[in-house]
Amino acid sequence: MRASVVALARSVWKGPYFVHFPNLQESIQRGTPIKTMARSCTIMPHMIGALFEIHNGKSYVPLRVTEDMVGRKLGEFSHTRKRFSYQLSKNK
């Protein structure tokens, strides 16, 4: 199995990219969302249970962090493009 491009993007000696959120404990305890544009921030174990609103370029997408998300990036859960599907027209 090949390592993903995201895992190869940052060297090991630098450590994971992390943004300090000053109201993280308040978000975990009270459930208040944290609005962020830091899509490249790595999800750490102490962020479990927090509620984030991640910017996808147009709007903020809500996300509750669970244990399975640790080690991944916030932007992986906020898609920036809509799915495309062909629509049948009524003119036929």
Side-chain angles (χ1 to χ4, degrees):
M1 184 174 172
R2 280 183 43 197
S4 67
V5 177
V6 174
L8 297 175
R10 190 162 172 93
S11 62
V12 176
W13 65 271
K14 288 183 184 178
Y17 177 71
F18 176 71
V19 176
H20 176 69
F21 297 106
N23 53 353
L24 183 63
Q25 291 302 322
E26 178 185 337
S27 174
I28 293 172
Q29 293 169 357
R30 297 184 188 161
T32 57
I34 300 172
K35 282 191 172 185
T36 182
M37 290 186 179
R39 297 173 52 85
S40 59
C41 178
T42 305
I43 298 174
M44 302 298 227
H46 66 273
M47 299 166 86
I48 295 174
L51 181 64
F52 286 95
E53 288 187 353
I54 305 162
H55 196 257
N56 68 354
K58 182 178 179 182
S59 62
Y60 287 91
V61 179
L63 171 75
R64 176 141 337 247
V65 178
T66 61
E67 292 180 14
D68 299 334
M69 298 177 184
V70 173
R72 299 179 72 177
K73 304 284 185 181
L74 286 175
E76 293 181 44
F77 305 102
S78 172
H79 299 291
T80 57
R81 299 177 185 201
K82 291 196 286 187
R83 287 188 169 193
F84 178 77
S85 62
Y86 289 100
Q87 299 289 328
L88 292 176
S89 64
K90 294 182 179 181
N91 297 336
K92 285 191 171 185

